[in-house]
Amino acid sequence: MLKLDYPWHEVLVHAARSRPELWRLIAGCIGVVTIVFGLIAALQAVLMAIAPDFWIGQMADPSTQGSTAGSLIILLGTFGFLTVGVAVVAQILHGRSPVTVFGPWPVLVSQFVRVFGFLCLLGVALMVLPPYGDTADLEANLPLARWLLLLPVSLTVVLIQTSAEEVFFRGYLQQQLAARFSSPLVWLLVPSALFAVGHYIPAQAGENALMIALWSGVFGVLMADLTARAGTLGPAIAVHFANNLGALLFVSLPDSLNGLSLYTVPFGMDDTVAMSRQLPVEFALLIVCWLVARLAIRR
């Protein structure tokens, strides 16, 4: 039988054990979704009142969301509602402080900085060493001056978005499942499967949708493993943050969330031939990032 030993995971799971009932987790997920949609509706009402042209022209149509800097900043910022939802249900339904979802803060910050630093070094190496890092086919997106001007806000909203997804999937879901089920396979695979389903977008990705969802599922499993090894969300947030910085701020797809990117690639998400060449590279890079993160947090 497969044996998975994660002694540091108990640091995170301990607070979830006081109220581990499955009905609380299901109710909590419903509560989080309700809070998120409620806050988004309130934001929509505000934007419709003060900037109706912006909402109708840049936010209302899902196919154009994120195609401009303003719309992508707002879209990424709304992920903060997910963190708010988790904080509320953790306190009310599980009687635990929202802070416990993250793990010990001094350790989290230390692990985040260390993992992110290692990944930055990896990124520099990949740009310098052939063949990865070839920019000949990239197309300019935002002017450099505007990109730099937006960078502080861009970094902030990407951090909000990535940390929110980790708080919900590798934080709340993983911890509450671990408090209820002893098998690591449950809390490793269930949140990761839901994470994959959330990234299944056939309307945009076409025939590539299943492979992109599979990549997301593998990403979820590896981040769950990192979280269980670390005892905080720091490493998973760092890997997710580094990944999304590259995909949202440096080189994005031209038809998806490119409003803050410096460059775009010359193919869309639904380009089967181009994506079939790119996805194996993405899978390999994901594994390398996971191994680098594991090295960075080795105790």
Side-chain angles (χ1 to χ4, degrees):
M1 181 178 291
L2 179 64
K3 181 175 177 58
L4 298 172
D5 188 25
Y6 296 110
W8 290 101
H9 198 216
E10 183 59 30
V11 175
L12 288 169
V13 179
H14 177 74
R17 294 194 184 282
S18 61
R19 297 181 184 176
E21 295 86 359
L22 192 57
W23 72 263
R24 292 182 185 273
L25 176 57
I26 295 171
C29 291
I30 295 172
V32 169
V33 171
T34 301
I35 290 170
V36 168
F37 278 96
L39 290 174
I40 289 175
L43 175 63
Q44 176 183 348
V46 171
L47 288 177
M48 280 294 292
I50 65 176
D53 292 339
F54 170 77
W55 177 265
I56 295 171
Q58 300 185 33
M59 297 296 298
D61 184 355
S63 66
T64 61
Q65 284 181 357
S67 61
T68 64
S71 65
L72 186 53
I73 286 171
I74 291 178
L75 182 62
L76 295 175
T78 59
F79 278 81
F81 299 156
L82 190 59
T83 302
V84 173
V86 170
V88 171
V89 301
Q91 185 71 64
I92 293 176
L93 283 174
H94 302 281
R96 56 184 298 198
S97 167
V99 177
T100 63
V101 176
F102 292 85
W105 272 92
V107 181
L108 180 149
V109 172
S110 174
Q111 290 176 335
F112 175 90
V113 171
R114 187 171 175 82
V115 171
F116 188 71
F118 274 50
L119 292 175
C120 286
L121 292 175
L122 174 64
V124 171
L126 291 174
M127 286 190 292
V128 171
L129 298 174
Y132 204 82
D134 183 12
T135 60
D137 294 331
L138 297 183
E139 300 174 357
N141 190 44
L142 285 182
L144 179 60
R146 188 177 184 212
W147 184 82
L148 290 172
L149 184 65
L150 290 168
L151 192 58
V153 177
S154 301
L155 291 171
T156 300
V157 293
V158 172
L159 183 59
I160 289 172
Q161 179 256 322
T162 52
S163 62
E165 290 192 340
E166 294 308 315
V167 164
F168 181 68
F169 288 100
R170 264 65 69 179
Y172 177 65
L173 274 180
Q174 179 169 324
Q175 292 164 23
Q176 292 301 145
L177 284 170
R180 177 63 180 80
F181 299 98
S182 59
S183 173
L185 293 178
V186 175
W187 48 262
L188 282 171
L189 298 180
V190 172
S192 301
L194 294 174
F195 189 71
V197 169
H199 288 78
Y200 179 68
I201 45 175
Q204 295 172 312
E207 295 179 12
N208 295 315
L210 189 58
M211 188 59 66
I212 292 171
L214 177 61
W215 183 94
S216 301
V218 173
F219 179 90
V221 171
L222 298 183
M223 293 310 100
D225 172 82
L226 273 183
T227 299
R229 292 179 185 279
T232 81
L233 294 181
I237 293 175
V239 175
H240 204 155
F241 182 57
N243 176 79
N244 284 22
L245 283 183
L248 294 173
L249 301 191
F250 288 95
V251 182
S252 68
L253 294 165
D255 55 355
S256 176
L257 308 178
N258 63 318
L260 295 171
S261 182
L262 188 59
Y263 296 101
T264 60
V265 292
F267 56 86
M269 189 183 296
D270 60 350
D271 188 325
T272 306
V273 175
M275 290 295 287
S276 67
R277 294 196 299 264
Q278 184 64 25
L279 282 170
V281 176
E282 296 296 332
F283 273 103
L285 183 57
L286 173 59
I287 298 297
V288 172
C289 289
W290 169 64
L291 292 173
V292 167
R294 282 186 56 174
L295 177 65
I297 63 172
R298 187 173 57 182
R299 308 193 192 210

